[in-house]
Amino acid sequence: MDKLLIQGGARLDGEIRISGAKNSGLPILAATLLAEGPMHICNLPHLNDITTMLALLRCMGVDITIDEKMCVETNTEPMREFTAPYELVKTMRASILVLGPMLARFGEANVSFPGGCAIGSRPVDIHLRGLEAMGATVEVDQGYIRARCDGRLKGAHFFMDTVTVGGTENLVMAAALAEGRTVLENAAREPEVVDLCLCLEAMGAKISGIGTATLTIDGVETLKGCTYKVMPDRIETGTYLVAAAATGGRVKLKDTRADILESVILKLEEAGAEITCGDDWIALDMKGKRPKSVNLKTAPYPAFPTDMQAQFTAMNAIAEGVGTVTETIFENRLIQVHELNRMGANIALEGNTAMITGVKQLKAAPVMATDLRASASLVIAGLVAEGDTLVDRIYHIDRGYECIEEKLQLLGANIRRVPG
Ligand code: UD1
């Protein structure tokens, strides 16, 4: 198993390009199941999770061609199989996103029940209840969710009692082909949900309230193929901004958007960063200063994203002052704290809050990645630590960061991948 070896101390300085968003590429690939006619999806990031979703579509019979720029063409014409098998679902929970579209288009879907994961139990009850409200019968049998509907799904008024990104995406996709009007209340407003809705609109779906907590979908009989470019990855963008801030550095990130990162930019400014933005770039300059600690609390968009919490915990670890980080979305998402403390951080955990007293210097240590964003925080810690940090289990990082070591090298970091 590969590891990342990081020699800390280099101040990040340079320009890189941000990749397409994993979390919008995944639902958009699932949405290709709804299309009669070929779909062309561009700007997909080259990541293991995207490869898993393509493998899932392929094993259901979807014809897929990929060019060297990760533009994917899909054609559902040859599709005969309506099962998402355990072997693929167990490696990626987002596989559940094929449930809604497959059921809406073919009247049948069997998806292996996704389990919990390191960051929490992650149920899918709202996905299932929403589909039942649209007239589906859903049962769980031998570890599989088996959903059926006679004819088309029926539009419904459905209130989601928790804001769920994947749940909203599954139900919007299902509603797009349902008979009549569906109203989804307390819907997630994350930019990736918006990106999916815009793609569905380009396919002929009728959706209003995009970007708000109430989505109204007037179902249509068929959806057509289209060409769609996936939005930039706001979490990758935020991760490089925090990495630069932690090292006192200066970066310019291109092919990205500042308007979807407001809460993160605000916290970086509070930490002492100077930030400038254009239409498709963001630049951060820390002017060699040590960051100041920030307090933050995760919550659904537009509030502070749970996917950026671990990176800020790492920055707070070396910041001036005391900062608190509170996680409200997932029950076990402060796991990076133990590894950071092994590197000399001073972090106390109380329930879902980490109280972080900044230290002047972290010390390198061998550390282990436990989930995607926790592993990004260990890389950031390695960049600012004294000595050589070896990060193990980096398959977690490869799920969400395209060429992380190459991008960091371009910014002047001493980092390389070593065989395990
Ligand atoms: C998505 C993102 C993930 C991000 C998360 C929250 C993808 C592929 N992943 O995950 O990176 O961290 O949003 O922004 O886009 N819940 C229920 N019942 C359900 C569904 C969810 O109780 O049926 C709960 C979850 O346990 C969690 C909360 O709702 O506590 C939010 O989860 P959700 O928004 O669904 O996360 P994902 O879509 O899995």
Side-chain angles (χ1 to χ4, degrees):
M1 231 183 288
D2 287 357
K3 299 179 171 56
L4 282 178
L5 182 63
I6 309 161
Q7 188 185 55
R11 194 166 274 175
L12 297 192
D13 190 354
E15 281 188 21
I16 51 168
R17 188 195 154 259
I18 293 301
S19 303
K22 167 179 91 73
N23 285 355
S24 95
L26 291 172
I28 286 172
L29 283 174
T32 65
L33 292 170
L34 294 164
E36 288 182 15
M39 292 273 295
H40 296 88
I41 313 293
C42 335
N43 203 34
L44 284 165
H46 195 219
L47 295 172
N48 289 352
D49 274 10
I50 296 289
T51 314
T52 304
M53 183 57 93
L54 291 172
L56 187 56
L57 296 179
R58 202 173 263 141
C59 91
M60 296 189 293
V62 180
D63 197 25
I64 294 174
T65 40
I66 308 175
D67 74 10
E68 67 291 349
K69 288 186 180 153
M70 278 299 280
C71 285
V72 167
E73 183 183 328
T74 64
N75 187 347
T76 53
E77 191 65 31
M79 209 177 143
R80 300 281 175 271
E81 175 63 54
F82 307 115
T83 300
Y86 175 66
E87 289 67 39
L88 289 169
V89 177
K90 75 175 179 196
T91 63
M92 187 184 69
R93 292 180 41 83
S95 310
I96 188 74
L97 293 171
V98 300
L99 180 66
M102 200 160 34
L103 177 67
R105 170 109 186 267
F106 303 103
E108 174 185 350
N110 310 298
V111 179
S112 174
F113 208 111
C117 65
I119 63 175
S121 59
R122 301 185 84 172
V124 290
D125 55 316
I126 299 168
H127 302 232
L128 304 189
R129 272 193 276 126
L131 293 174
E132 282 173 338
M134 286 187 227
T137 54
V138 178
E139 58 176 49
V140 178
D141 175 35
Q142 297 186 15
Y144 276 78
I145 299 163
R146 300 194 192 279
R148 301 282 181 275
C149 59
D150 274 339
R152 289 167 69 191
L153 289 168
K154 309 273 179 297
H157 198 119
F158 186 67
F159 177 84
M160 289 177 267
D161 53 17
T162 303
V163 178
T164 155
V165 174
T168 304
E169 291 168 344
N170 235 334
L171 298 179
V172 171
M173 289 189 278
L177 280 186
E179 206 180 319
R181 173 169 286 190
T182 299
V183 179
L184 298 176
E185 305 242 36
N186 200 27
R189 292 180 283 163
E190 266 66 4
E192 294 76 15
V193 176
V194 171
D195 210 29
L196 169 68
C197 289
L198 295 177
C199 177
L200 290 169
E201 279 198 323
M203 294 162 71
K206 305 259 174 291
I207 308 173
S208 61
I210 295 177
T212 74
T214 304
L215 291 170
T216 303
I217 305 115
D218 286 306
V220 294
E221 272 185 42
T222 55
L223 290 167
K224 59 184 191 307
C226 71
T227 297
Y228 196 79
K229 184 179 176 200
V230 170
M231 64 180 273
D233 197 312
R234 66 190 165 106
I235 306 301
E236 187 196 25
T237 306
T239 302
Y240 287 109
L241 290 176
V242 174
T247 62
R250 183 177 62 163
V251 288
K252 182 170 183 187
L253 308 178
K254 294 182 294 183
D255 295 343
T256 189
R257 278 167 55 186
D259 61 319
I260 48 179
L261 269 154
E262 280 181 15
S263 60
V264 170
I265 289 175
L266 208 70
K267 287 290 157 192
L268 284 165
E269 284 173 338
E270 237 180 271
E274 204 176 281
I275 295 193
T276 42
C277 313
D279 280 347
D280 62 352
W281 57 268
I282 306 179
L284 173 144
D285 194 348
M286 204 63 191
K287 306 212 157 126
K289 284 177 306 193
R290 180 180 176 196
K292 290 195 272 291
S293 287
V294 293
N295 298 323
L296 62 91
K297 186 173 175 178
T298 66
Y301 190 84
F304 191 91
T306 173
D307 286 352
M308 282 303 304
Q309 169 267 103
Q311 300 86 321
F312 271 80
T313 305
M315 184 180 78
N316 269 350
I318 51 94
E320 201 181 315
V322 179
T324 57
V325 168
T326 304
E327 170 63 45
T328 73
I329 309 281
F330 293 109
E331 63 258 44
N332 192 26
R333 217 184 189 177
L334 291 163
I335 26 184
Q336 72 280 3
V337 162
H338 308 291
E339 294 299 273
L340 292 174
N341 279 345
R342 291 185 53 248
M343 296 176 73
N346 181 0
I347 310 176
L349 269 184
E350 205 173 300
N352 62 347
T353 296
M355 175 107 80
I356 307 143
T357 307
V359 297
K360 277 216 169 108
Q361 180 74 67
L362 292 178
K363 301 238 166 42
V367 286
M368 194 125 74
T370 43
D371 82 55
L372 171 54
R373 306 304 169 188
S375 48
S377 77
L378 299 179
V379 171
I380 293 171
L383 290 171
V384 295
E386 189 185 344
D388 290 350
T389 296
L390 193 60
V391 186
D392 199 355
R393 302 210 177 152
I394 57 167
Y395 52 84
H396 290 293
I397 301 188
D398 293 333
R399 289 186 48 205
Y401 292 94
E402 186 175 53
C403 309
I404 190 165
E405 73 275 25
E406 286 165 34
K407 289 190 180 184
L408 284 171
Q409 280 162 7
L410 276 173
L411 298 176
N414 292 313
I415 178 169
R416 67 193 164 88
R417 191 174 284 254
V418 292

